[in-house]
Amino acid sequence: MTWQDDAGRDLVRSFGPRMAMFVRGEGSHLWDADGRRHLDFLAGIAVTSLGHAHPVFVEAVATQAATLAHVSNYFATPPQLELASRLKRLAGTGEEGRVYFGNSGAEANEAAFKLARLHGGAERPRILALTDAFHGRTMGTLALTGKPAMQEPFLPMAPGVEFIDSTVEALEQAIDDRVAALFVEPVKGEAGVLPLPDGYLEAARELTARHGALLIIDEIQTGAGRTGEWFAFQHAGIVPDAITVAKGIGGGFPIGALITFATASDLFYPGSHGSTFGGNALGTAVANAVLAEIESAGLVAGAVERGAQLRAVIDRIDSALVSGCRGQGLLIGVGLRHPVAKKVVDAALARGLVINAPNDTTIRLVPALTIGDAELDEFETLFAAALSAVEADLEGTA
Ligand SMILES: Cc1ncc(COP(=O)(O)O)c(C=O)c1O
Protein backbone atom coordinates (compact mmCIF):
# COMPACT_ATOMS: atom_id res chain seq x y z
CA MET A 1 0.00 0.00 0.00
CA THR A 2 1.36 3.43 -0.95
CA TRP A 3 0.33 6.77 0.49
CA GLN A 4 -1.41 7.40 -2.85
CA ASP A 5 -3.59 4.34 -2.21
CA ASP A 6 -4.44 5.55 1.27
CA ALA A 7 -5.25 9.04 0.00
CA GLY A 8 -7.34 7.69 -2.87
CA ARG A 9 -9.36 5.50 -0.52
CA ASP A 10 -9.73 7.66 2.59
CA LEU A 11 -9.79 11.31 1.59
CA VAL A 12 -12.80 13.15 0.24
CA ARG A 13 -12.88 13.30 -3.55
CA SER A 14 -13.59 17.03 -3.67
CA PHE A 15 -9.84 17.51 -4.28
CA GLY A 16 -7.98 15.81 -7.12
CA PRO A 17 -5.20 13.31 -6.44
CA ARG A 18 -2.55 14.69 -4.06
CA MET A 19 0.58 15.57 -6.03
CA ALA A 20 3.10 14.72 -3.31
CA MET A 21 3.27 13.79 0.34
CA PHE A 22 5.22 16.24 2.45
CA VAL A 23 6.50 15.29 5.85
CA ARG A 24 8.57 18.29 6.94
CA GLY A 25 9.20 21.94 6.17
CA GLU A 26 11.81 24.50 7.04
CA GLY A 27 11.86 28.05 5.71
CA SER A 28 10.97 27.88 2.01
CA HIS A 29 11.75 24.19 1.69
CA LEU A 30 9.63 21.08 2.00
CA TRP A 31 10.74 17.48 2.24
CA ASP A 32 8.63 14.71 0.76
CA ALA A 33 8.13 11.19 2.05
CA ASP A 34 11.14 10.00 0.02
CA GLY A 35 13.38 12.60 1.65
CA ARG A 36 13.48 14.79 -1.46
CA ARG A 37 13.82 18.54 -0.91
CA HIS A 38 11.50 20.97 -2.72
CA LEU A 39 11.52 24.74 -3.01
CA ASP A 40 8.10 26.02 -1.97
CA PHE A 41 6.89 29.05 -3.94
CA LEU A 42 3.24 28.35 -3.15
CA ALA A 43 3.47 28.61 0.66
CA GLY A 44 0.27 26.64 1.18
CA ILE A 45 -1.49 29.13 -1.17
CA ALA A 46 -0.22 32.35 0.39
CA VAL A 47 -0.50 31.04 3.93
CA THR A 48 2.91 30.26 5.43
CA SER A 49 4.01 33.88 5.33
CA LEU A 50 7.08 33.26 7.53
CA GLY A 51 7.95 30.00 5.78
CA HIS A 52 7.76 26.60 7.44
CA ALA A 53 8.63 25.96 11.08
CA HIS A 54 9.73 29.55 11.67
CA PRO A 55 11.04 29.76 15.27
CA VAL A 56 8.59 32.58 16.08
CA PHE A 57 5.66 30.46 14.91
CA VAL A 58 6.89 27.36 16.70
CA GLU A 59 7.49 29.24 19.94
CA ALA A 60 4.07 30.92 19.82
CA VAL A 61 2.24 27.62 19.27
CA ALA A 62 4.19 25.83 22.00
CA THR A 63 4.03 28.59 24.60
CA GLN A 64 0.34 29.35 24.17
CA ALA A 65 -0.60 25.66 23.97
CA ALA A 66 1.16 25.19 27.29
CA THR A 67 -0.62 28.23 28.76
CA LEU A 68 -4.22 28.34 27.53
CA ALA A 69 -5.63 27.12 24.21
CA HIS A 70 -9.38 27.65 24.33
CA VAL A 71 -12.13 28.93 26.61
CA SER A 72 -15.03 29.82 24.20
CA ASN A 73 -16.39 33.23 23.35
CA TYR A 74 -18.18 33.53 26.67
CA PHE A 75 -14.81 34.76 27.86
CA ALA A 76 -11.97 37.00 26.69
CA THR A 77 -8.27 36.12 26.62
CA PRO A 78 -5.22 38.41 26.40
CA PRO A 79 -4.02 37.19 22.96
CA GLN A 80 -7.50 37.69 21.51
CA LEU A 81 -7.68 41.29 22.68
CA GLU A 82 -4.12 41.93 21.55
CA LEU A 83 -4.85 40.58 18.07
CA ALA A 84 -8.07 42.59 17.72
CA SER A 85 -6.21 45.75 18.63
CA ARG A 86 -3.28 44.87 16.32
CA LEU A 87 -5.55 44.20 13.34
CA LYS A 88 -7.41 47.47 13.95
CA ARG A 89 -4.09 49.34 13.98
CA LEU A 90 -2.73 47.62 10.86
CA ALA A 91 -5.98 48.11 8.95
CA GLY A 92 -6.27 51.70 10.17
CA THR A 93 -9.81 51.43 11.51
CA GLY A 94 -9.26 53.92 14.33
CA GLU A 95 -11.11 53.57 17.64
CA GLU A 96 -14.47 52.59 16.12
CA GLY A 97 -13.21 49.45 14.38
CA ARG A 98 -14.18 45.98 15.57
CA VAL A 99 -12.95 42.47 14.82
CA TYR A 100 -14.88 39.21 14.45
CA PHE A 101 -12.73 36.08 14.51
CA GLY A 102 -13.39 32.88 12.57
CA ASN A 103 -11.14 30.02 11.54
CA SER A 104 -10.82 30.42 7.78
CA GLY A 105 -11.30 32.78 4.89
CA ALA A 106 -14.74 31.41 4.15
CA GLU A 107 -15.84 32.02 7.74
CA ALA A 108 -14.58 35.59 7.57
CA ASN A 109 -16.58 36.11 4.37
CA GLU A 110 -19.68 34.42 5.83
CA ALA A 111 -19.53 36.99 8.62
CA ALA A 112 -19.15 39.73 6.01
CA PHE A 113 -22.19 38.42 4.11
CA LYS A 114 -24.26 38.59 7.30
CA LEU A 115 -22.89 42.08 7.96
CA ALA A 116 -24.14 43.10 4.51
CA ARG A 117 -27.60 41.67 5.24
CA LEU A 118 -27.75 43.43 8.61
CA HIS A 119 -26.89 46.68 6.87
CA GLY A 120 -29.31 46.09 4.00
CA GLY A 121 -32.40 44.78 5.79
CA ALA A 122 -35.56 44.64 3.67
CA GLU A 123 -34.81 47.96 1.97
CA ARG A 124 -31.56 46.80 0.37
CA PRO A 125 -31.85 43.19 -0.82
CA ARG A 126 -29.16 43.54 -3.53
CA ILE A 127 -25.52 42.58 -3.07
CA LEU A 128 -23.00 43.19 -5.84
CA ALA A 129 -19.95 41.04 -6.39
CA LEU A 130 -17.43 40.76 -9.21
CA THR A 131 -17.55 38.15 -11.95
CA ASP A 132 -14.68 35.68 -11.51
CA ALA A 133 -13.83 36.78 -7.97
CA PHE A 134 -13.44 33.99 -5.42
CA HIS A 135 -14.77 34.32 -1.87
CA GLY A 136 -14.99 30.71 -0.64
CA ARG A 137 -16.82 27.41 -0.93
CA THR A 138 -19.37 27.43 1.88
CA MET A 139 -22.94 28.03 0.71
CA GLY A 140 -22.86 31.74 1.61
CA THR A 141 -19.46 32.46 0.16
CA LEU A 142 -20.20 30.36 -2.92
CA ALA A 143 -23.21 32.60 -3.50
CA LEU A 144 -20.74 35.53 -3.53
CA THR A 145 -18.35 33.74 -5.88
CA GLY A 146 -18.90 34.75 -9.48
CA LYS A 147 -18.16 31.42 -11.11
CA PRO A 148 -21.34 29.76 -12.44
CA ALA A 149 -19.67 26.38 -12.93
CA MET A 150 -18.80 26.22 -9.23
CA GLN A 151 -22.31 27.22 -8.17
CA GLU A 152 -24.28 25.06 -10.58
CA PRO A 153 -24.15 21.69 -8.72
CA PHE A 154 -25.26 23.40 -5.51
CA LEU A 155 -28.14 25.57 -6.68
CA PRO A 156 -30.17 27.27 -5.36
CA MET A 157 -27.82 29.88 -3.96
CA ALA A 158 -28.59 32.40 -1.22
CA PRO A 159 -30.59 35.08 -3.05
CA GLY A 160 -29.76 38.69 -3.77
CA VAL A 161 -26.22 38.45 -5.17
CA GLU A 162 -25.64 39.95 -8.62
CA PHE A 163 -22.37 39.70 -10.53
CA ILE A 164 -20.90 42.58 -12.45
CA ASP A 165 -17.77 43.08 -14.54
CA SER A 166 -14.77 44.62 -12.79
CA THR A 167 -15.13 48.01 -14.44
CA VAL A 168 -16.19 51.34 -13.00
CA GLU A 169 -18.81 51.60 -15.79
CA ALA A 170 -20.41 48.29 -14.80
CA LEU A 171 -20.54 49.41 -11.18
CA GLU A 172 -22.01 52.78 -12.09
CA GLN A 173 -24.73 51.04 -14.07
CA ALA A 174 -25.56 48.44 -11.43
CA ILE A 175 -25.49 50.39 -8.19
CA ASP A 176 -28.53 52.03 -6.67
CA ASP A 177 -30.00 52.69 -3.23
CA ARG A 178 -31.21 49.09 -2.93
CA VAL A 179 -27.65 47.73 -2.82
CA ALA A 180 -26.51 46.63 0.65
CA ALA A 181 -22.88 45.98 -0.23
CA LEU A 182 -20.27 45.59 -2.92
CA PHE A 183 -17.80 42.72 -2.42
CA VAL A 184 -14.42 43.19 -4.04
CA GLU A 185 -11.30 41.02 -4.33
CA PRO A 186 -8.51 43.55 -4.96
CA VAL A 187 -6.34 41.11 -6.92
CA LYS A 188 -8.34 38.10 -8.11
CA GLY A 189 -5.95 35.37 -7.04
CA GLU A 190 -7.93 32.25 -7.84
CA ALA A 191 -9.05 33.69 -11.20
CA GLY A 192 -5.40 34.01 -12.29
CA VAL A 193 -3.92 36.92 -10.31
CA LEU A 194 -5.95 39.61 -12.04
CA PRO A 195 -5.61 43.08 -10.53
CA LEU A 196 -8.54 45.50 -10.62
CA PRO A 197 -8.30 48.35 -13.13
CA ASP A 198 -6.44 51.44 -11.85
CA GLY A 199 -8.76 53.72 -9.95
CA TYR A 200 -11.40 51.01 -9.39
CA LEU A 201 -11.24 50.97 -5.59
CA GLU A 202 -11.35 54.75 -5.40
CA ALA A 203 -14.42 54.84 -7.67
CA ALA A 204 -16.02 51.94 -5.79
CA ARG A 205 -15.54 53.83 -2.52
CA GLU A 206 -17.14 56.94 -3.94
CA LEU A 207 -20.09 55.13 -5.54
CA THR A 208 -20.88 52.86 -2.57
CA ALA A 209 -20.71 55.84 -0.19
CA ARG A 210 -23.00 57.87 -2.45
CA HIS A 211 -25.59 55.08 -2.48
CA GLY A 212 -25.27 54.08 1.17
CA ALA A 213 -23.86 50.62 0.38
CA LEU A 214 -21.00 48.96 2.25
CA LEU A 215 -17.68 48.45 0.50
CA ILE A 216 -16.37 45.08 1.66
CA ILE A 217 -12.89 44.07 0.54
CA ASP A 218 -11.74 40.46 0.58
CA GLU A 219 -8.08 40.63 1.64
CA ILE A 220 -7.81 36.91 2.35
CA GLN A 221 -5.17 36.31 -0.31
CA THR A 222 -3.83 39.86 -0.58
CA GLY A 223 -3.54 40.70 3.15
CA ALA A 224 -0.81 40.28 5.76
CA GLY A 225 1.69 42.28 3.72
CA ARG A 226 1.71 40.13 0.61
CA THR A 227 1.14 42.93 -1.90
CA GLY A 228 3.54 45.38 -0.27
CA GLU A 229 1.02 47.06 2.04
CA TRP A 230 -0.53 45.38 5.05
CA PHE A 231 -3.74 45.19 3.02
CA ALA A 232 -4.10 45.79 -0.71
CA PHE A 233 -6.81 48.46 -0.31
CA GLN A 234 -4.16 50.66 1.33
CA HIS A 235 -2.43 51.12 -2.05
CA ALA A 236 -5.54 53.05 -3.10
CA GLY A 237 -5.65 55.26 0.01
CA ILE A 238 -9.34 54.57 0.63
CA VAL A 239 -11.22 53.56 3.77
CA PRO A 240 -13.55 50.57 3.25
CA ASP A 241 -16.44 49.56 5.54
CA ALA A 242 -15.05 46.10 6.17
CA ILE A 243 -12.24 43.78 5.13
CA THR A 244 -11.84 40.05 5.52
CA VAL A 245 -8.50 38.39 6.28
CA ALA A 246 -7.20 34.84 6.80
CA LYS A 247 -4.39 32.81 5.15
CA GLY A 248 -1.14 34.74 5.84
CA ILE A 249 -2.16 36.27 9.16
CA GLY A 250 -1.87 32.88 10.87
CA GLY A 251 1.23 31.76 8.98
CA GLY A 252 -0.19 28.22 8.85
CA PHE A 253 -2.47 28.28 11.87
CA PRO A 254 -6.13 28.34 10.74
CA ILE A 255 -7.60 31.75 11.56
CA GLY A 256 -9.73 34.31 9.76
CA ALA A 257 -11.26 37.63 10.69
CA LEU A 258 -13.73 40.27 9.62
CA ILE A 259 -12.51 43.77 10.44
CA THR A 260 -15.13 46.51 10.39
CA PHE A 261 -14.67 50.25 10.10
CA ALA A 262 -16.78 53.17 11.35
CA THR A 263 -20.54 52.59 11.60
CA ALA A 264 -20.34 49.10 10.07
CA SER A 265 -18.89 48.18 13.47
CA ASP A 266 -22.29 48.75 15.08
CA LEU A 267 -24.23 46.22 12.98
CA PHE A 268 -23.67 42.93 14.83
CA TYR A 269 -25.49 42.54 18.14
CA PRO A 270 -25.33 39.77 20.73
CA GLY A 271 -26.53 36.47 19.25
CA SER A 272 -26.30 37.62 15.61
CA HIS A 273 -23.16 35.62 14.80
CA GLY A 274 -20.63 33.36 16.43
CA SER A 275 -18.16 30.49 16.30
CA THR A 276 -16.97 28.08 18.97
CA PHE A 277 -13.33 28.14 17.95
CA GLY A 278 -13.16 31.64 16.45
CA GLY A 279 -10.64 33.87 18.20
CA ASN A 280 -9.40 31.24 20.59
CA ALA A 281 -6.29 31.96 22.59
CA LEU A 282 -4.07 29.59 20.64
CA GLY A 283 -4.91 30.88 17.16
CA THR A 284 -4.83 34.53 18.16
CA ALA A 285 -1.49 34.14 19.99
CA VAL A 286 0.03 32.61 16.86
CA ALA A 287 -1.38 35.33 14.59
CA ASN A 288 -0.03 37.99 16.96
CA ALA A 289 3.41 36.45 16.78
CA VAL A 290 3.31 36.07 12.99
CA LEU A 291 2.14 39.65 12.41
CA ALA A 292 4.65 41.04 14.91
CA GLU A 293 7.44 39.22 13.09
CA ILE A 294 6.24 40.46 9.68
CA GLU A 295 6.30 43.96 11.14
CA SER A 296 9.63 43.84 12.95
CA ALA A 297 11.43 42.09 10.08
CA GLY A 298 10.14 44.70 7.59
CA LEU A 299 8.53 42.02 5.43
CA VAL A 300 5.77 44.28 4.08
CA ALA A 301 8.26 46.61 2.38
CA GLY A 302 10.27 43.47 1.66
CA ALA A 303 7.38 42.08 -0.41
CA VAL A 304 7.76 45.02 -2.81
CA GLU A 305 11.50 44.49 -3.16
CA ARG A 306 11.40 40.70 -3.38
CA GLY A 307 8.41 40.87 -5.73
CA ALA A 308 10.38 43.13 -8.08
CA GLN A 309 13.35 40.75 -7.89
CA LEU A 310 11.11 37.78 -8.65
CA ARG A 311 9.72 39.55 -11.71
CA ALA A 312 13.29 40.33 -12.79
CA VAL A 313 14.07 36.61 -12.50
CA ILE A 314 11.13 35.77 -14.77
CA ASP A 315 12.31 38.40 -17.26
CA ARG A 316 15.82 36.98 -17.14
CA ILE A 317 14.58 33.45 -17.82
CA ASP A 318 13.16 35.01 -20.99
CA SER A 319 11.06 31.98 -21.89
CA ALA A 320 9.11 32.07 -25.15
CA LEU A 321 6.25 30.47 -23.21
CA VAL A 322 5.86 33.42 -20.84
CA SER A 323 3.74 36.35 -21.94
CA GLY A 324 4.33 38.52 -18.84
CA CYS A 325 3.71 38.98 -15.13
CA ARG A 326 0.70 40.36 -13.25
CA GLY A 327 0.01 41.09 -9.61
CA GLN A 328 1.49 43.10 -6.78
CA GLY A 329 4.38 42.47 -4.40
CA LEU A 330 4.77 38.74 -3.77
CA LEU A 331 1.43 37.82 -5.34
CA ILE A 332 2.51 37.17 -8.90
CA GLY A 333 0.76 35.57 -11.85
CA VAL A 334 2.99 34.46 -14.68
CA GLY A 335 0.98 34.52 -17.90
CA LEU A 336 1.63 31.73 -20.44
CA ARG A 337 1.11 31.90 -24.20
CA HIS A 338 -0.29 28.36 -24.33
CA PRO A 339 -2.76 26.56 -22.02
CA VAL A 340 -0.03 24.42 -20.46
CA ALA A 341 0.06 25.74 -16.89
CA LYS A 342 -0.68 22.31 -15.40
CA LYS A 343 2.21 20.84 -17.39
CA VAL A 344 4.53 23.55 -16.06
CA VAL A 345 3.39 22.78 -12.50
CA ASP A 346 4.11 19.07 -13.03
CA ALA A 347 7.48 19.74 -14.66
CA ALA A 348 8.38 22.04 -11.76
CA LEU A 349 7.35 19.48 -9.16
CA ALA A 350 9.39 16.80 -10.92
CA ARG A 351 12.40 19.10 -10.49
CA GLY A 352 11.63 19.95 -6.86
CA LEU A 353 9.72 23.23 -7.19
CA VAL A 354 6.21 23.73 -5.76
CA ILE A 355 4.05 26.27 -7.64
CA ASN A 356 0.45 26.19 -8.83
CA ALA A 357 -1.82 26.98 -11.74
CA PRO A 358 -5.02 28.87 -10.91
CA ASN A 359 -6.02 28.44 -14.56
CA ASP A 360 -4.67 26.94 -17.81
CA THR A 361 -2.57 29.94 -18.77
CA THR A 362 -1.33 31.22 -15.39
CA ILE A 363 1.31 30.13 -12.90
CA ARG A 364 0.79 31.62 -9.43
CA LEU A 365 3.84 32.48 -7.34
CA VAL A 366 3.09 33.27 -3.69
CA PRO A 367 6.24 32.35 -1.76
CA ALA A 368 6.86 33.06 1.90
CA LEU A 369 7.55 36.75 2.59
CA THR A 370 10.89 35.61 4.03
CA ILE A 371 12.46 34.49 0.74
CA GLY A 372 16.01 35.71 0.13
CA ASP A 373 18.60 35.74 -2.64
CA ALA A 374 19.32 32.02 -2.29
CA GLU A 375 15.66 31.08 -2.80
CA LEU A 376 15.37 33.42 -5.80
CA ASP A 377 18.47 31.87 -7.39
CA GLU A 378 17.21 28.36 -6.80
CA PHE A 379 13.81 29.33 -8.20
CA GLU A 380 15.45 30.73 -11.34
CA THR A 381 17.23 27.46 -12.08
CA LEU A 382 14.22 25.23 -11.35
CA PHE A 383 11.57 27.35 -13.06
CA ALA A 384 13.74 27.88 -16.15
CA ALA A 385 14.23 24.11 -16.39
CA ALA A 386 10.51 23.43 -16.00
CA LEU A 387 9.59 26.00 -18.66
CA SER A 388 12.20 24.63 -21.09
CA ALA A 389 10.93 21.09 -20.61
CA VAL A 390 7.37 22.15 -21.42
CA GLU A 391 8.55 24.27 -24.34
CA ALA A 392 10.49 21.32 -25.76
CA ASP A 393 7.42 19.15 -25.31
CA LEU A 394 5.28 21.70 -27.16
CA GLU A 395 7.78 21.88 -30.01
CA GLY A 396 7.83 18.09 -30.17
CA THR A 397 4.06 17.93 -30.56
CA ALA A 398 3.78 20.94 -32.94
C1 LIG B 1 -9.76 35.87 -1.98
C2 LIG B 1 -10.16 34.66 -1.21
N1 LIG B 1 -11.29 34.68 -0.48
C3 LIG B 1 -11.69 33.62 0.24
C4 LIG B 1 -10.98 32.45 0.24
C5 LIG B 1 -11.47 31.28 1.05
O1 LIG B 1 -10.62 31.07 2.11
P1 LIG B 1 -10.60 29.63 2.84
O2 LIG B 1 -10.11 28.64 1.84
O3 LIG B 1 -9.66 29.84 4.01
O4 LIG B 1 -11.98 29.35 3.30
C6 LIG B 1 -9.81 32.36 -0.51
C7 LIG B 1 -9.05 31.09 -0.58
O5 LIG B 1 -8.35 30.81 -1.51
C8 LIG B 1 -9.39 33.49 -1.25
O6 LIG B 1 -8.28 33.46 -2.00
Side-chain angles (χ1 to χ4, degrees), residues 107-346:
E107 283 180 62
N109 281 340
E110 284 287 342
F113 197 156
K114 287 177 80 172
L115 185 84
R117 288 278 202 250
L118 286 176
H119 174 68
E123 304 298 306
R124 294 174 176 272
R126 304 179 65 209
I127 289 179
L128 302 180
L130 303 183
T131 304
D132 273 345
F134 180 79
H135 297 295
R137 290 175 179 273
T138 57
M139 286 307 289
T141 59
L142 189 56
L144 293 169
T145 292
K147 298 179 192 246
M150 278 175 61
Q151 293 188 344
E152 200 274 329
F154 304 103
L155 294 172
M157 290 289 117
V161 183
E162 297 166 40
F163 296 103
I164 57 173
D165 287 344
S166 305
T167 63
V168 174
E169 298 72 49
L171 179 58
E172 272 167 347
Q173 262 171 29
I175 199 161
D176 63 18
D177 292 352
R178 286 167 55 76
V179 172
L182 167 67
F183 278 80
V184 171
E185 191 188 353
V187 179
K188 290 181 208 158
E190 299 304 302
V193 192
L194 305 174
L196 290 171
D198 282 346
Y200 185 89
L201 284 178
E202 293 87 330
R205 176 66 290 181
E206 204 272 308
L207 286 163
T208 47
R210 194 191 309 161
H211 289 279
L214 300 181
L215 175 60
I216 301 179
I217 304 187
D218 181 335
E219 296 272 3
I220 286 161
Q221 194 154 150
T222 49
R226 178 148 298 276
T227 69
E229 288 281 358
W230 275 104
F231 304 105
F233 78 84
Q234 292 165 333
H235 292 287
I238 57 148
V239 179
D241 296 294
I243 65 172
T244 51
V245 297
K247 287 190 183 275
I249 67 164
F253 199 96
I255 183 167
L258 166 71
I259 305 169
T260 55
F261 294 65
T263 53
S265 303
D266 300 331
L267 290 166
F268 280 118
Y269 52 87
S272 54
H273 199 43
S275 155
T276 297
F277 294 122
N280 84 7
L282 187 51
T284 50
V286 178
N288 272 319
V290 168
L291 294 174
E293 176 64 18
I294 291 175
E295 194 162 19
S296 65
L299 296 179
V300 181
V304 177
E305 195 186 332
R306 293 299 184 191
Q309 290 169 348
L310 185 48
R311 281 169 184 249
V313 165
I314 313 274
D315 284 349
R316 227 170 19 242
I317 291 175
D318 195 26
S319 163
L321 205 50
V322 170
S323 57
C325 286
R326 302 184 291 270
Q328 257 178 330
L330 280 173
L331 172 52
I332 294 180
V334 181
L336 303 179
R337 292 186 207 280
H338 300 278
V340 290
K342 305 261 180 321
K343 285 189 177 160
V344 174
V345 168
D346 290 343

